[in-house]
């Protein structure tokens, strides 16, 4: 019989930990929360200091029974849920359900699932931290008061199945505000002049800077003609040269938010997928002879702090692999988010010596990709800065000035391992400039004016929205992925080309919340509420006080909304087509993956069809059908013949309706990082890319 019982959340975690602790310990999983507020009612007694009424979660009875039996047989029970608010609350609920003393040393926390970390944590058990529990309870009760009061109102006045919440409603607001910015955006014309120059055999690029030593903006073609009219010849004199040495520091280790952003940029992972794969890496992977090992530290964190042990290990690895020069010499002061919790470390590998290559055979494709990203990012964060030699030169033709700049990597430092991605996907590489000195004469090969228009702000990608929520202090590492999932499930927003677009339903619901519950979507109010929850966690303020202050105003607004909110009927837009099954009109519906056609006679008729979008190109295979845009179940666009299944033509790239002048095969639009390029599917023919 085991002397000690250890309870964790997941079976994978239980399996890993049991191996480390030995025969005296039995490790069981609670499968997440065992108690929660009931789904069928509010479950919060507003009149009795907001006392929550917890019940055993449906289906958790057998799990709890098993845990109770095991607890009776054990000398001591340890609660080892995750090291955050949610984990502390799970431990507290378990203690209540199993009649354990919350003030006894029953709580064990660890930031990584490795043998040393686990053994060390069991030497230092502690009581349950009630401040952490209260912070989680306050968040849960707040969300319940908002959700269970506003959602039924929306069901009554708009349609069934809708919801509102402190974080999700702000996220929808950000997406809609951005859409309105785009709609009201008025493009402004501007011009640039690019020049190609030659010195000896070397060619380099420079751009128009200004006139008479002053920087000048070109707003029209007339401005350009004035400048080109001032150019006397193709000879330009180098009037000044500046050389600088520039240091570039590595990015810090990942937080939950920066991991989600970078995995979106570099791996094309959705936030939900990133968190699921990170969970697997954290809980443990079977490494054959080594057994099951947790490969990364806890993945819900907003801290970039790293333990001294991990730093020492990284230094040793860097020294062995790259040499002394690549070691980070001075300790960098990381900018700490105002609302960041520093309870645990940034996300890093549990051992730097487990490099991605050595683990490839034990990991799935997605696990390998994410582990490699985390490993490289951490490794780079502990390495020396990169040193770039930068050079800028001013070229003069009379009073007209052009500027050329270039850079060369003098010492790669951390860039040898990893370079952070950017949202606009611009690759940063070396820009070559020949050796230039003051007084040198260079010749212009071409001077090309180019018209541009200012662009509206981009729609939010998942990564950009997570970044914005974090910067505004809204939500917590654990809330980003579920929030993005919820607003799509409710049909408030849809993803088009990986960017969020609001739906009509989203706009209606937001308008109602804006009118009757403005504080719910007020960015500052929501961020301040997060700070209040942090203060509860730090033991500075009682949780009931925070809830009470919020509820007084909220209750008044609720009563007003009950009487004044008008019923809104959302009429489905007709498509102009009739249902081929029952003859009723077909209407546009909004689903999780965007718009589709459905029969208006639902539920009696369940006919649905995708929206067919013609692109004006005849099928290159059969010559009879038309090419239409289609979508996969995962919302990826592809192109096919409308005569399918008679004709099975299909292409990921958009056909352009012209034949290749070189070989006569099909030309397609190929999406590249820097724009779109028309190229042949058969030979090497390419046309200049369009941004």
């Amino acid at each position: 019989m085991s002397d000690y019982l250890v309870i964790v959340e997941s079976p994978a975690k239980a399996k890993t930990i049991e191996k480390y602790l030995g025969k005296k310990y039995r490790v069981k999983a609670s499968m997440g929360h065992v108690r929660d507020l009931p789904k069928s009612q509010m479950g919060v007694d507003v009149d009795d200091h907001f006392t929550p009424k917890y019940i055993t979660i449906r289906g958790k009875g057998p799990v709890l029974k098993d845990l109770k039996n095991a607890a009776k047989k054990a000398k001591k029970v340890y609660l080892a849920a995750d090291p955050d608010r949610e984990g502390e609350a799970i431990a507290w609920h378990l203690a209540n359900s199993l009649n354990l003393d919350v003030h006894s040393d029953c709580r064990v926390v660890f930031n990584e699932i490795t043998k040393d970390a686990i053994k060390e944590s069991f030497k230092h058990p502690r009581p349950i931290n009630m401040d952490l529990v209260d912070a989680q309870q306050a968040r849960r009760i707040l969300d319940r008061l908002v959700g269970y009061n506003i959602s039924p109102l929306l069901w009554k006045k708009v349609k069934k199945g809708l919801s509102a919440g402190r974080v999700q409603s702000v996220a929808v607001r950000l997406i809609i505000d951005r859409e309105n910015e785009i709609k009201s955006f008025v493009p402004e014309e501007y011009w640039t002049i690019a020049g190609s120059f030659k010195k000896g055999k070397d060619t380099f690029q420079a751009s128009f800077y200004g006139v008479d030593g002053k920087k000048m903006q070109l707003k029209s073609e007339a401005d350009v003609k004035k400048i080109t009219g001032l150019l006397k010849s193709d000879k330009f004199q180098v009037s000044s040269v500046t050389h600088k040495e520039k240091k570039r520091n590595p990015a810090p280790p990942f937080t939950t938010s920066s991991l989600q952003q970078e995995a979106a940029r570099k791996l094309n992972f959705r936030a939900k997928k990133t968190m699921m794969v990170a969970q697997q890496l954290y809980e443990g992977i079977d490494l054959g002879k080594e057994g099951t090992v947790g490969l990364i530290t806890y993945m819900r964190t907003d801290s970039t702090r790293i333990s001294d042990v991990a730093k020492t290990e990284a230094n040793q690895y860097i020294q062995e692999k790259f040499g002394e020069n690549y070691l980070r010499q001075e300790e960098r002061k990381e900018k700490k988010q105002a609302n960041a919790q520093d309870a645990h470390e940034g996300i890093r590998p549990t051992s730097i010596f487990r490099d991605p290559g050595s683990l490839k055979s034990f990991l799935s494709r997605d696990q390998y990709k994410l582990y490699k990203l985390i490993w490289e990012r951490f490794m780079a964060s502990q390495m020396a800065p990169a040193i770039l030699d930068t050079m800028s030169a001013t070229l003069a033709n009379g009073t007209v000035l052009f500027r050329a700049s270039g850079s060369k990597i003098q010492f790669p430092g951390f860039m040898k391992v990893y370079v952070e991605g950017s949202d606009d996907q611009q690759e940063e590489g070396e820009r070559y400039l020949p050796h230039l000195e003051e007084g040198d004469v260079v010749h212009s090969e071409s001077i090309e004016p180019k018209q541009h228009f200012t662009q509206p702000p981009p729609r939010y990608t998942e990564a950009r929205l997570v970044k914005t929520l974090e910067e505004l202090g809204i939500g917590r590492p654990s809330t980003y992925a579920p929030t993005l999932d919820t607003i799509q499930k409710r049909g408030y927003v849809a993803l088009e080309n990986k960017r969020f677009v609001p739906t009509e339903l989203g706009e209606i619901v937001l308008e109602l919340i804006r009118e009757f519950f403005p504080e719910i979507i007020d960015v500052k109010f929501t961020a301040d509420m997060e700070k209040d929850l942090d203060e509860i966690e730090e033991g500075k303020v009682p949780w009931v006080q925070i809830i009470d202050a919020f509820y007084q105003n909220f209750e008044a607004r609720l009563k007003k909304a009950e009487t004044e909110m008008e019923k809104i009927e959302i009429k489905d837009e007709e498509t102009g087509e009739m249902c081929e099954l029952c003859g009723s009109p077909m209407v546009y519906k909004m689903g999780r993956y965007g718009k589709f056609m459905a029969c208006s006679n639902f539920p009696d008729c369940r006919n649905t069809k995708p929206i067919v979008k013609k692109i004006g190109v005849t099928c290159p295979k059969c010559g009879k059908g038309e090419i239409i845009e289609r979508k996969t179940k995962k919302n990826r666009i592809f192109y096919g013949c409308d005569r399918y299944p008679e004709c099975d033509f299909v292409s990921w790239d958009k056909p352009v309706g012209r034949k290749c002048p070189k070989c006569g095969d099909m030309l397609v639009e190929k999406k590249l990082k820097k724009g779109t390029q028309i190229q042949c599917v058969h030979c090497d023919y390419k046309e200049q890319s369009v941004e």
Side-chain angles (χ1 to χ4, degrees), residues 4-195:
Y4 307 106
L5 173 68
V6 180
I7 303 174
V8 295
E9 290 113 307
S10 78
K13 200 171 167 184
K15 197 175 147 191
T16 312
I17 292 168
E18 198 162 69
K19 284 182 181 173
Y20 296 148
L21 289 174
K23 288 177 183 174
K24 286 189 173 180
Y25 291 83
R26 191 169 180 204
V27 186
K28 284 186 166 287
S30 70
M31 317 295 281
H33 277 276
V34 289
R35 291 199 316 174
D36 197 6
L37 299 171
K39 281 189 175 174
S40 57
Q41 51 175 282
M42 175 83 70
V44 177
D45 192 339
V46 173
D47 301 322
D48 184 21
H49 308 292
F50 303 96
T51 305
K53 298 171 188 171
Y54 293 115
I55 59 160
T56 302
I57 295 168
R58 187 181 286 176
K60 286 293 179 76
V63 173
L64 207 49
K65 192 179 172 186
D66 181 45
L67 291 175
K68 280 178 179 172
N69 289 334
K72 280 175 191 167
K73 293 171 188 171
K75 287 182 185 172
K76 182 142 179 92
V77 178
Y78 291 106
L79 306 169
D82 286 342
D84 55 13
R85 280 180 197 166
E86 210 63 36
E88 206 70 20
I90 289 174
W92 178 72
H93 284 301
L94 281 166
N96 277 285
S97 301
L98 303 176
N99 294 321
L100 304 177
D101 180 4
V102 295
H103 304 295
S104 67
D105 289 338
C106 59
R107 179 83 167 110
V108 172
V109 286
F110 35 79
N111 197 41
E112 58 186 73
I113 303 176
T114 57
K115 198 169 186 174
D116 291 345
I118 300 292
K119 292 218 158 174
E120 185 60 30
S121 66
F122 275 85
K123 290 177 187 170
H124 309 284
R126 60 164 175 79
I128 287 171
N129 182 333
M130 284 312 296
D131 292 333
L132 269 174
V133 173
D134 286 346
Q136 190 274 345
Q137 281 201 107
R139 175 186 288 279
R140 191 79 187 91
I141 291 165
L142 257 176
D143 290 344
R144 180 56 67 106
L145 290 170
V146 171
Y148 270 53
N149 279 306
I150 300 180
S151 301
L153 257 177
L154 295 174
W155 298 354
K156 260 191 289 185
K157 308 288 184 178
V158 187
K159 72 173 224 183
K160 276 263 192 271
L162 300 181
S163 67
R166 290 180 317 107
V167 180
Q168 62 159 292
S169 298
V170 173
V172 173
R173 178 197 169 160
L174 291 172
I175 293 163
I176 290 174
D177 284 355
R178 176 59 53 90
E179 197 67 21
N180 292 335
E181 277 179 65
I182 294 167
K183 281 176 186 166
S184 61
F185 181 81
V186 179
E188 285 180 20
E189 182 184 8
Y190 71 98
W191 288 71
T192 56
I193 307 174

Side-chain angles (χ1 to χ4, degrees), residues 572-581 584-591 593-602 605-613 628:
D572 292 315
E573 185 190 346
E574 291 196 7
T575 65
E577 284 185 39
M578 294 305 194
C579 174
E580 60 268 34
L581 299 183
S584 302
M586 295 292 282
V587 294
Y588 291 119
K589 292 273 187 191
M590 181 55 79
Y593 301 109
K595 270 189 174 178
F596 65 95
M597 289 191 320
C599 181
S600 58
N601 192 22
F602 179 87
C605 177
R606 294 179 177 268
N607 184 21
T608 62
K609 289 195 300 189
I611 295 168
V612 172
K613 190 174 168 186
I628 56 172

Side-chain angles (χ1 to χ4, degrees), residues 86-345:
E86 210 63 36
E88 206 70 20
I90 289 174
W92 178 72
H93 284 301
L94 281 166
N96 277 285
S97 301
L98 303 176
N99 294 321
L100 304 177
D101 180 4
V102 295
H103 304 295
S104 67
D105 289 338
C106 59
R107 179 83 167 110
V108 172
V109 286
F110 35 79
N111 197 41
E112 58 186 73
I113 303 176
T114 57
K115 198 169 186 174
D116 291 345
I118 300 292
K119 292 218 158 174
E120 185 60 30
S121 66
F122 275 85
K123 290 177 187 170
H124 309 284
R126 60 164 175 79
I128 287 171
N129 182 333
M130 284 312 296
D131 292 333
L132 269 174
V133 173
D134 286 346
Q136 190 274 345
Q137 281 201 107
R139 175 186 288 279
R140 191 79 187 91
I141 291 165
L142 257 176
D143 290 344
R144 180 56 67 106
L145 290 170
V146 171
Y148 270 53
N149 279 306
I150 300 180
S151 301
L153 257 177
L154 295 174
W155 298 354
K156 260 191 289 185
K157 308 288 184 178
V158 187
K159 72 173 224 183
K160 276 263 192 271
L162 300 181
S163 67
R166 290 180 317 107
V167 180
Q168 62 159 292
S169 298
V170 173
V172 173
R173 178 197 169 160
L174 291 172
I175 293 163
I176 290 174
D177 284 355
R178 176 59 53 90
E179 197 67 21
N180 292 335
E181 277 179 65
I182 294 167
K183 281 176 186 166
S184 61
F185 181 81
V186 179
E188 285 180 20
E189 182 184 8
Y190 71 98
W191 288 71
T192 56
I193 307 174
S196 180
F197 294 85
K198 206 159 184 141
K199 186 198 174 191
K201 289 180 181 176
D202 295 319
T203 305
F204 64 99
Q205 308 304 309
S207 304
F208 169 72
Y209 173 76
V211 176
D212 287 329
K214 289 177 186 169
K215 194 173 173 64
M216 182 177 164
Q217 285 184 327
L218 303 170
K219 291 186 176 177
S220 64
E221 195 170 4
D223 289 353
V224 172
K225 282 179 175 166
K226 270 184 201 168
I227 300 301
T228 51
L230 293 170
L231 295 173
K232 307 293 183 211
S233 68
D234 69 344
K235 287 182 183 174
F236 283 71
Q237 190 172 29
V238 179
S239 59
S240 69
V241 179
T242 313
H243 291 272
K244 276 184 185 168
E245 197 177 84
K246 191 175 147 193
K247 252 188 193 181
R248 186 173 168 190
N249 284 312
F254 282 128
T255 61
T256 305
S257 153
S258 58
L259 176 66
Q260 288 175 9
Q261 290 164 52
E262 196 74 336
R265 292 185 199 116
K266 290 198 167 181
L267 311 178
N268 216 2
F269 281 12
R270 303 276 304 274
K272 191 178 176 182
K273 182 178 180 175
T274 300
M275 294 313 286
M276 184 182 81
V277 177
Q279 185 92 30
Q280 294 162 1
L281 294 171
Y282 166 68
E283 290 189 342
I285 302 288
D286 188 349
L287 301 182
K289 285 179 184 172
E290 210 180 332
T292 306
V293 179
L295 295 180
I296 62 167
T297 53
Y298 190 53
M299 62 287 152
R300 289 190 186 89
T301 175
D302 44 17
S303 166
T304 56
R305 187 177 58 77
I306 294 294
S307 71
D308 291 339
V309 173
K311 283 178 190 171
T312 307
E313 202 179 75
N315 281 354
Q316 191 186 333
Y317 186 93
I318 294 162
Q319 205 160 346
E320 285 172 14
K321 199 87 176 169
F322 303 101
E324 190 87 33
N325 297 352
Y326 282 86
L327 283 175
R328 190 164 112 179
Q329 297 307 322
E330 78 281 359
E331 200 60 40
R332 269 173 67 216
K333 269 223 150 334
E334 304 295 354
K335 275 195 286 187
K336 193 170 171 279
Q337 284 279 119
N339 56 338
Q341 320 253 290
D342 208 28
H344 23 88
E345 292 183 60

